[in-house]
C-alpha cells in the first residue's frame, strides 16, 4: 500500500472515531489526503503558519498543525471542529502521521538496501554495517525466489505476493528491473530444499488462482549470510533462464536441479551448432511435424515405453513404430534404442538453446 493510501486510511479512521474532519496539505498547500470538501483556510493564513515558528495555531473554526518527516517540515494538518478535545485529537493525529512516515521511510530504506545488496553494490563490511543500522539480521539462512509473469510490472501479481507473505515481517519483496518480482525469504532452522520447492509451487498456484496469471518461479541455493544473497540472486536468475530454455513444460526451476540444461547452457554456440549438424545433417528439427514431435516427447517422458506412449496418446502401437521408422530413415537414429534416443534428446535441447541465443542477439 502506498504512503498516500495509508495516510488516507489514517484520516478516515480518525474521522470515524472523533466525528471531526481532517485534511493533509502537501508543502505546496495542495490537499494530499482529506475527509471532506470544506473550504481551506486562506492562502495568506497558510503561508504565515508555514513560515512561522508555531507548531499549532487554532481559531473557532479549525486547528492547523505542522507535520514533520525526519525533522523536516512535510505537511500541514487541518482539523475542523471546536471543543476541548480537538487539540488533543489533533496532536494524536500528528503523532500517528509522523510515525507512519517514519515507518514508511524505514521500509523504503530496507528495500533500497536489499536491491543494492542483490546487485553486489556493497563491500562485505559496508553490507554488515548497514544491516545493523536497519536492524536486519546479518547471519541467517535465506533463499531468493524470482517470480515472472507474462506481463511486465504486474502490479496485481505483486499485490498477491505481498498478501501471501504479509505476516512474515523478516521476508523482503522487491525488484531490481521490470522482468520479475524478487522474494527474499528468511528460513527457519527446520526448512529444507523440499520446503523451498513447496513454496515455489505455492506461488505458482496462488498467482494462477488469485491473480489469474501464469507464473514461473525459480529459486536459489540457501544463502547463510547477507553477502551471499547477491550470488543467490544470480543463481535464481540463471535457473529461470535455463529453465525456460530447456524445460518449457515446467513452471518451477531449482538452481540445484537444472540437469543437462546447465551443461549445455555453458557450451559455446559454435560447438552446439557443430553437434546439431552432426546429428541432423542437412535436415533440421523444424522439418519434423508437430504431431511427431509430441509423440517423441511423450515417448521420452515414458522412458522409451512404446505401450505406455500408445496408451497416453490414444495412438496404435504400429502407428508409433511407423513414425519412428520414418525418423530413423530421415536422421539415421532409431529412437527405440537408448543411445540413439539420448543423442536425439540432446540434439533437441541443443537446438532449442541455439535458437534462443540467436533470438537474443
Amino acid at each position: 500500500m502506498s504512503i498516500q493510501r495509508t495516510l488516507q486510511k489514517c484520516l478516515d479512521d480518525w474521522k470515524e472515531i472523533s466525528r471531526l474532519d481532517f485534511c493533509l496539505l502537501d508543502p505546496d498547500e495542495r490537499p494530499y489526503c482529506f475527509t471532506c470538501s470544506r473550504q481551506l483556510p486562506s492562502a495568506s493564513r497558510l503561508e504565515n503558519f508555514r513560515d512561522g515558528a508555531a507548531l499549532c495555531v487554532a481559531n473557532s473554526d479549525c486547528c492547523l498543525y505542522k507535520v514533520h518527516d525526519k525533522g523536516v517540515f512535510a505537511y500541514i494538518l487541518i482539523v475542523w471542529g471546536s471543543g476541548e478535545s480537538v487539540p488533543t485529537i489533533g496532536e494524536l493525529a500528528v503523532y500517528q502521521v509522523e510515525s507512519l512516515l517514519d515507518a514508511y521511510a524505514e521500509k523504503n530504506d530496507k528495500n533500497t538496501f536489499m536491491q543494492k545488496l542483490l546487485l553486489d553494490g556493497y563491500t562485505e563490511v559496508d553490507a554488515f554495517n548497514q544491516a545493523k543500522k536497519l536492524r536486519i539480521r546479518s547471519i541467517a539462512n535465506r533463499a531468493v525466489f524470482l517470480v515472472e509473469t507474462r506481463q511486465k510490472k504486474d502490479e496485481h501479481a505483486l499485490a498477491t505476493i505481498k498478501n501471501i507473505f504479509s505476516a512474515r515481517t523478516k521476508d523482503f519483496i522487491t525488484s531490481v528491473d521490470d522482468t520479475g518480482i524478487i522474494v527474499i525469504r528468511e528460513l527457519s532452522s527446520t526448512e529444507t530444499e523440499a520446503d523451498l520447492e513447496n513454496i515455489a509451487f505455492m506461488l505458482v498456484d496462488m498467482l494462477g488462482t488469485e491473480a489469474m496469471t501464469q507464473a514461473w518461479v525459480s529459486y536459489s541455493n540457501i544463502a547463510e549470510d547477507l553477502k551471499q544473497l547477491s550470488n543467490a540472486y544470480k543463481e535464481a536468475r540463471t535457473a529461470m533462464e535455463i529453465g525456460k530454455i530447456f524445460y518449457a513444460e515446467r513452471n518451477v526451476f531449482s538452481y540445484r536441479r537444472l540437469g543437462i540444461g546447465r551443461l549445455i547452457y555453458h557450451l559455446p554456440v559454435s560447438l552446439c551448432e557443430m553437434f546439431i549438424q552432426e546429428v541432423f545433417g542437412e535436415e533440421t528439427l523444424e522439418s519434423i511435424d508437430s504431431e511427431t514431435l509430441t509423440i517423441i516427447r511423450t515417448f521420452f517422458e515414458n522412458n522409451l515405453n512404446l505401450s505406455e506412449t500408445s496408451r497416453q496418446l490414444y495412438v496404435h502401437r504400429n502407428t508409433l513404430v511407423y513414425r519412428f521408422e520414418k525418423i530413423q530413415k530421415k536422421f539415421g537414429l532409431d529412437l527405440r534404442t537408448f543411445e540413439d534416443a539420448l543423442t536425439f534428446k540432446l540434439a533437441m535441447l541443443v537446438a532449442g538453446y541455439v535458437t534462443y541465443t540467436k533470438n537474443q542477439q
Side-chain angles (χ1 to χ4, degrees), residues 121-315:
Y122 288 105
T123 65
E124 186 171 355
V125 173
D126 289 342
F128 281 82
N129 287 340
Q130 186 66 13
K132 186 176 181 180
K133 291 179 183 178
L134 296 173
R135 298 188 295 278
I136 298 173
R137 292 175 63 192
S138 298
I139 307 298
N141 286 342
R142 296 180 175 91
V144 175
F145 293 81
L146 179 60
V147 183
E148 290 189 3
T149 61
R150 292 191 181 278
Q151 180 182 344
K152 291 185 177 182
K153 288 189 176 181
D154 194 332
E155 295 296 332
H156 197 184
L158 178 61
T160 301
I161 292 173
K162 286 183 176 180
N163 185 55
I164 292 171
F165 294 100
S166 59
R168 296 184 56 87
T169 57
K170 295 180 181 179
D171 293 347
F172 294 90
I173 300 168
T174 186
S175 62
V176 296
D177 53 35
D178 297 339
T179 60
I181 301 165
I182 302 167
V183 179
I184 304 171
R185 181 180 175 92
E186 185 169 320
L187 308 175
S188 67
S189 59
T190 59
E191 286 182 298
T192 64
E193 176 77 15
D195 293 305
L196 300 186
E197 184 177 40
N198 291 336
I199 293 167
F201 277 110
M202 178 270 292
L203 284 169
V204 170
D205 292 341
M206 292 295 290
L207 288 170
T209 55
E210 300 292 333
M212 303 298 289
T213 184
Q214 183 178 9
W216 295 266
V217 178
S218 62
Y219 58 96
S220 68
N221 290 325
I222 295 175
E224 297 179 351
D225 59 46
L226 284 175
K227 198 66 181 91
Q228 293 180 8
L229 282 179
S230 61
N231 190 55
Y233 171 61
K234 294 172 187 174
E235 291 175 350
R237 291 204 67 87
T238 300
M240 180 66 73
E241 188 169 5
I242 293 176
K244 283 189 169 183
I245 296 171
F246 299 104
Y247 312 109
E249 72 282 1
R250 304 180 194 172
N251 290 83
V252 169
F253 315 113
S254 165
Y255 182 77
R256 185 181 292 273
R257 298 195 298 272
L258 292 175
I260 195 69
R262 188 199 307 272
L263 297 178
I264 298 172
Y265 182 77
H266 292 288
L267 292 175
V269 174
S270 58
L271 188 61
C272 292
E273 290 175 333
M274 287 174 59
F275 179 71
I276 294 171
Q277 174 68 26
E278 180 182 328
V279 175
F280 294 140
E282 298 303 319
E283 299 288 346
T284 63
L285 192 62
E286 287 73 22
S287 65
I288 304 175
D289 62 89
S290 59
E291 185 177 353
T292 300
L293 281 175
T294 300
I295 290 173
I296 293 170
R297 290 192 176 101
T298 307
F299 183 59
F300 288 160
E301 289 170 5
N302 286 293
N303 298 317
L304 313 187
N305 188 316
L306 271 175
S307 299
E308 184 62 23
T309 304
S310 173
R311 187 189 67 80
Q312 285 190 14
L313 297 176
Y314 302 100
V315 176

